[in-house]
Amino acid sequence: MKVDWEAVLGAKSYLTHYSEANQTDPKHAKFMGYSETNSWTLKATDVPTLVAGDKIYIYVQAYREKGIGADDVTKAQYLQDGPFTGSAWSIAVVLTAK
């Protein structure tokens, strides 16, 4: 699943946040992705278990810094846990399983 958004002026990276199926509360968005462009793909191996009609809510957050680490998970965790301040979370992008 691929999600695109408008680039944010000054952003060097973006974190995507998502949760298990049908979790509408962003506080439950426990999974993260990382991108240095205004596009991100949720790999099939990372998609939570879904049945037809289930929804995944994805939120995007912009950062002025780039993540550091060997992979996207480590880079996302670096920004999330570090002394950095990201933008407010976007309005949810809702993907529905077919």
Side-chain angles (χ1 to χ4, degrees), residues 10 16 47 59 66 82 86 92-93 96 98:
T16 51
V47 174
Y59 306 88
K66 290 184 179 181
V93 172
T96 304
K98 292 184 178 187

Side-chain angles (χ1 to χ4, degrees), residues 8-94:
V8 174
L9 185 64
K12 293 185 180 175
S13 65
Y14 301 89
L15 291 188
T16 51
H17 304 267
Y18 65 101
S19 61
E20 299 289 346
N22 304 312
Q23 289 289 336
T24 60
D25 187 340
K27 293 177 185 169
H28 296 289
K30 62 183 180 179
F31 305 119
M32 289 187 294
Y34 176 85
S35 176
E36 292 180 4
T37 68
N38 59 320
S39 179
W40 174 74
T41 300
L42 177 57
K43 297 175 189 172
T45 56
D46 294 333
V47 174
T49 302
L50 303 171
V51 296
D54 280 351
K55 297 178 185 320
I56 295 178
Y57 294 78
I58 299 174
Y59 306 88
V60 180
Q61 192 177 24
Y63 281 82
R64 290 188 175 116
E65 301 81 18
K66 290 184 179 181
I68 295 175
D71 56 38
D72 287 349
V73 172
T74 306
K75 291 176 183 178
Q77 202 66 51
Y78 172 82
L79 291 175
Q80 180 71 25
D81 294 343
F84 313 106
T85 302
S87 69
W89 288 21
S90 69
I91 295 172
V93 172
V94 182

